[in-house]
Amino acid sequence: MRENDRHTATDADYDAVVVGAGFSGLYQLHRLRDELGLSVKLVEKANDVGGTWYWNRYPGARCDSESHIYCYSFNDEIMEEWQWSERYPRQPEVLEYLRFVADHLDLRKDIEFGTEVTSATFEEDTGTWQVETDDGETLSSQFFVTAVGCLSTPYVPDFENRDAYQGETYHTGKWPHDPVDFEDKRVAVIGTGASGIQTIPEVARADIEQLTVFQRTPNYAVPARNRSLDDEDWEEIQRNYEEIMAEAHDDGSGLPFDTARETAADLTMADIEAVLEPRWEEGGWRFLVAFEDLLVNPETNEKVSQYLREKIRGAVDDPETAEKLVPTDHYYATKRPPLHTDYYDTFNRDNVSLVDVTETPVDRFTTGGIRTEDGEDREFDMVIFATGFDAMTGTLLRMDIEGRNGLTLEERWADGPKTYLGLGVHGFPNMFTVTGPQSPSVLSNMPVPIENHVEWISETIGDLVEGGTPYIEPTGVAEEDWTEHNMDLAQETLYTTVDSWYMNENIPGKPTVFVPYPGGVDIYQDTIREVREKGYEGFTLADSVDDLGRRGESPQLGVFEAMELLHADPDMDLADLMEMA
Ligand code: NA7
C-alpha cells in the first residue's frame, strides 16, 4: 500500500492512520504523505477540515492569539499567499485559512470526512493498529496518530432536571451551522470562561429581550483591542515574518513578545502600573508576559491581579455587579486567561443581569427555564452552555484505545494521564499523540507546539522507516519519570493553587493532576530534540512486538509495570515477573 515501499514491517492498509483534520492532523498528513512518501488515511468526524474551528462557531468566536502568529510557519507559499484581515481572526476566517491550506496541499483526497473513530486496537499478532469507524469500516495501519485537539469534547454539567427544559439549548463548542435567531428572546448564558466572555457581549448586542449570565468563577479578562489589518500592516508583518516566527518558536509560550521585567515583587503599585498600562492599552497577550515570574511568584501575581481588579471595578457602573465580577479566589492566569471585547461594558446594559451561582446556586432546570436556590423561577427561551470541555484527555479516552496485552487507555490513565513527553504511552506501540497530555499545548500559542510535535513525530517515523525498525514505544520507567517531572514542575507554579481544567478538575470524577507541561515550549522542544539525538532515549525500539514487551520495562520492572502485567495476564505468577525483571 505504501507509495514508497521501503520496509515491510506490516501488511497494513496504510502506513499511518491520523485522527482529526484540524491544525495538527492536516500538517501531520502533509508531512507523512508528502515528505516521507507514506500512505496515510486521515479520519475526521466533521464534514470539513477545521477541527475546533469547525465546531466553535458561536457568536463572537474569535482566536485570542494574533492572526499572523496563529498559523503555520512551515510553508513559505502559504505564508506569502494568505493575508489575515484582522488582528485576531474570527472563527470563519480561521476555518477559511485551514480550508485554503487543505486545498493548497491537496489534502482532502486522503481525508475521510463525516467518519468517527469508534475504537483503535493494537493487534499483537499482526503488529498493526486496527482502527474501527462508525461506518463499520476497519482501517489497519502501522502507525496511529491522534490529532484530536485538546478541547474537542464539549461538557454540559449535569444540572438536575436539565432534559425537562423545553427551550432552545446550545453549547458554544457545538454551535449549529444554521443561523440562530435571537430576536426578542430571553437568553441565559452559563459559564464565564474564554468562550462565555467572547459570546456574552455578542449575544447582548443581538436583538434579544434580555440576557442573564450565570457565573461560578469570575475571570480576569484583558482587552483584546482588535482592529482590521490593512495592506500596510501586512507588508510590515511580511517584512519580518521569518524573524517573528522564529521568536515565537523560541519562546516559552510560543509568543514573539518581549517581557518587561523579571519580577514585579520589588515594585510599588505605581511602578507596576507604569509597566502594565501601555500593555493594557495595546491589548492582548503582551500583558500576560509582562513579568517573567507571573506564574511562579505569588507576590508578582498578586500585584498584577490587583491591577486587573481595579480595572474591572472601573469598567462596571453598578458597584455590586462589579464586585461579583472581580476575581478574588485565584491568581491571574492560573485559569486560562481570556481576552475580551466589551465584556465588562455588557453588564452596564439595562437588559443584562448577572447571577453569581456561588451565592445563588442553580437548583434545577424547569420546563421553562432555571430555578435558583432562592426559589426564583427564571424563564428563558434559550440557554447557552459556555461550560467548557472534557479537556485534553476526554476525546482520547472516548476513542476506546487498546494497546498491548489488552490494556485500554482508560485503564492505563485511571489515575490521570501518564505519557512520555506527551507524545506516547507505554503499552501503546507506534501510537503518537499530537499535543497530548503532558506536552505544552494549551499553555501556549497552539500552532507552535503543534508544528513542533508534528515535525518530531514525522522525523521519528522517518527514522524508523529508514532504519527498518518497525516498533517504538516509551518505556514504563521513562513514562513514570516524565509524569512525575510534569507534576513536580507544576507544583513549583501557581497553577496548582486553583481548580481548573488544567488541573483536570472541571469534570466531576476526573483525578486531580496537572495535565499540560508547564516548563515552556522552548525547553520542551530542546528536550524532545535531545531525546531523538540520543537515539530515542526512554523509548524502546524493537523488531518485534514480543521484543517490545521484553525490553520496554528497562532498566527494571517497576511495581506499576508488574501490576499492569498481572492485570493483563492472570496466568502470570511471581516467578515470571522475576524473570522479566
Ligand atoms: P472553560 O474555560 O472551561 O469555561 C467554562 C465555564 O463554565 C467556566 O466559567 C466554569 O466555571 C463554568 N461552569 C462549568 N460548570 C459549571 C456549572 N456547573 N455551573 C456554573 N458554571 C459552570 O471553557 P471555555 O469554552 O470558556 O474555554 C475553553 C477554551 O476554549 C479556551 O481556553 C479557548 O482556548 C477556547 P468555573 O471557572 O469552573 O468555576
Side-chain angles (χ1 to χ4, degrees):
M1 285 292 167
R2 293 177 183 86
E3 286 172 31
N4 174 348
D5 201 13
R6 283 182 295 188
H7 72 133
T8 52
T10 68
D11 230 351
D13 299 335
Y14 299 98
D15 291 305
V17 166
V18 177
V19 191
F23 264 95
S24 315
L26 292 178
Y27 185 30
Q28 190 67 76
L29 168 59
H30 167 63
R31 285 295 291 237
L32 294 179
R33 187 192 70 181
D34 302 332
E35 297 202 5
L36 295 181
L38 302 183
S39 67
V40 186
K41 177 59 83 184
L42 194 159
V43 183
E44 167 56 57
K45 182 172 153 188
N47 291 321
D48 199 354
V49 299
T52 199
W53 299 103
Y54 176 90
W55 300 103
N56 282 266
R57 46 181 77 215
Y58 57 85
R62 192 183 283 283
C63 185
D64 277 346
S65 279
E66 296 187 25
S67 54
H68 69 292
I69 52 165
Y70 193 76
C71 51
Y72 297 115
S73 66
F74 69 86
N75 183 302
D76 289 344
E77 275 171 26
I78 291 173
M79 285 174 79
E80 276 159 29
E81 282 179 34
W82 183 265
Q83 180 170 339
W84 295 99
S85 69
E86 289 181 276
R87 181 176 176 191
Y88 305 92
R90 285 176 61 231
Q91 171 269 335
E93 194 172 12
V94 187
L95 185 57
E96 209 40 53
Y97 169 74
L98 290 170
R99 287 181 175 143
F100 162 78
V101 172
D103 292 338
H104 186 87
L105 300 173
D106 195 16
L107 299 176
R108 288 176 190 275
K109 65 182 183 200
D110 292 304
I111 306 177
E112 209 161 302
F113 289 109
T115 308
E116 191 170 353
V117 170
T118 50
S119 73
T121 307
F122 184 74
E123 192 177 74
E124 292 183 48
D125 293 349
T126 56
T128 57
W129 281 94
Q130 303 289 319
V131 182
E132 286 188 20
T133 62
D134 61 354
D135 58 10
E137 213 183 338
T138 303
L139 311 168
S140 63
S141 65
Q142 181 180 359
F143 298 103
F144 177 58
V145 185
T146 64
V148 294
C150 298
L151 299 154
S152 43
T153 298
Y155 166 63
V156 177
D158 198 11
F159 290 110
E160 181 142 5
N161 214 27
R162 196 184 71 204
D163 293 340
Y165 173 62
Q166 288 173 1
E168 298 164 66
T169 57
Y170 303 101
H171 188 285
T172 48
K174 212 176 173 188
W175 198 262
H177 285 225
D178 298 326
V180 170
D181 178 13
F182 286 98
E183 195 175 343
D184 296 332
K185 297 207 170 139
R186 297 159 303 170
V187 182
V189 174
I190 304 179
T192 54
S195 306
I197 281 172
Q198 285 190 338
T199 208
I200 285 163
E202 287 290 317
V203 172
R205 261 195 288 273
D207 45 5
I208 54 160
E209 186 182 316
Q210 66 172 60
L211 168 63
T212 306
V213 175
F214 289 82
Q215 168 192 275
R216 186 165 68 184
T217 310
N219 226 319
Y220 301 92
V222 168
R225 307 211 192 277
N226 186 40
R227 62 182 173 84
S228 38
L229 296 176
D230 58 23
D231 286 347
E232 214 173 295
D233 295 318
W234 198 246
E235 276 159 27
E236 174 69 18
I237 289 167
Q238 283 288 354
R239 257 196 302 281
N240 304 303
Y241 221 169
E242 218 171 293
E243 201 178 310
I244 294 170
M245 283 308 200
E247 271 179 47
H249 280 256
D250 213 20
D251 177 79
S253 310
L255 297 169
F257 305 145
D258 292 334
T259 52
R261 241 177 151 265
E262 196 181 312
T263 183
D266 56 341
L267 299 181
T268 63
M269 274 316 281
D271 293 336
I272 286 169
E273 278 175 32
V275 174
L276 291 180
E277 201 57 27
R279 288 176 185 245
W280 174 267
E281 285 306 321
E282 198 174 358
W285 279 338
R286 283 170 183 79
F287 185 93
L288 176 67
V289 301
F291 299 110
E292 277 172 41
D293 65 352
L294 179 81
L295 285 157
V296 293
N297 187 337
E299 282 180 64
T300 292
N301 197 307
E302 181 50 35
K303 288 174 177 175
V304 176
S305 299
Q306 192 51 37
Y307 172 92
L308 286 168
R309 290 181 198 123
E310 288 312 311
K311 289 290 189 193
I312 298 168
R313 290 188 179 110
V316 181
D317 296 343
D318 172 41
E320 212 180 304
T321 305
E323 276 321 303
K324 287 183 186 165
L325 288 164
V326 169
T328 51
D329 67 335
H330 67 282
Y331 292 109
Y332 168 56
T334 51
K335 288 166 92 97
R336 201 288 204 169
L339 300 185
H340 82 95
T341 303
D342 302 334
Y343 177 63
Y344 296 109
D345 283 348
T346 302
F347 294 93
N348 297 331
R349 286 174 172 257
D350 291 340
N351 63 345
V352 176
S353 60
L354 180 66
V355 177
D356 175 348
V357 301
T358 59
E359 280 173 12
T360 315
V362 170
D363 176 19
R364 56 173 51 236
F365 274 57
T366 62
T367 51
I370 294 173
R371 181 177 304 158
T372 40
E373 280 189 11
D374 55 3
E376 193 175 334
D377 272 319
R378 299 159 195 268
E379 301 284 312
F380 298 112
D381 303 300
M382 182 192 295
V383 174
I384 298 173
F385 294 99
T387 43
F389 299 86
D390 188 348
M392 293 177 284
T393 55
T395 310
L396 290 170
L397 289 172
R398 273 172 184 72
M399 229 192 300
D400 197 7
I401 300 175
E402 186 180 309
R404 288 191 290 117
N405 299 323
L407 187 75
T408 65
L409 193 63
E410 212 179 346
E411 290 167 326
R412 182 74 183 152
W413 286 0
D415 299 328
K418 292 182 168 65
T419 77
Y420 181 42
L421 307 167
L423 278 161
V425 183
H426 177 59
F428 297 77
N430 291 356
M431 178 176 94
F432 296 99
T433 49
V434 185
T435 65
Q438 301 173 346
S439 75
S441 68
V442 293
L443 299 182
S444 57
N445 171 38
M446 284 300 292
V448 172
I450 285 173
E451 285 196 328
N452 175 234
H453 256 194
V454 166
E455 284 158 17
W456 192 92
I457 292 166
S458 308
E459 283 159 7
T460 299
I461 290 178
D463 288 345
L464 295 172
V465 170
E466 198 65 44
T469 306
Y471 302 107
I472 187 167
E473 184 189 301
T475 68
V477 173
E479 184 181 87
E480 286 289 302
D481 286 351
W482 184 255
T483 301
E484 203 179 307
H485 173 61
N486 206 68
M487 202 58 211
D488 287 349
L489 283 180
Q491 299 288 7
E492 289 169 20
T493 71
L494 299 175
Y495 287 122
T496 52
T497 60
V498 64
D499 291 354
S500 70
W501 56 261
Y502 295 158
M503 289 290 287
N504 229 10
E505 279 184 329
N506 64 326
I507 308 291
K510 278 181 109 175
T512 302
V513 287
F514 190 77
V515 185
Y517 171 80
V521 176
D522 45 356
I523 292 173
Y524 175 83
Q525 284 176 171
D526 290 345
T527 307
I528 64 171
R529 191 178 306 127
E530 209 174 300
V531 163
R532 179 166 173 248
E533 281 164 9
K534 288 185 178 167
Y536 296 100
E537 189 176 55
F539 285 93
T540 307
L541 274 66
D543 289 330
S544 70
V545 180
D546 285 348
D547 203 22
L548 269 184
R550 265 196 305 275
R551 297 196 296 116
E553 324 307 334
S554 63
Q556 62 185 37
L557 195 66
V559 174
F560 181 85
E561 310 305 332
M563 285 167 62
E564 183 192 274
L565 287 165
L566 284 171
H567 170 87
D569 183 1
D571 293 331
M572 186 169 279
D573 63 22
L574 200 57
D576 296 330
L577 286 173
M578 295 289 283
E579 200 186 318
M580 290 179 81

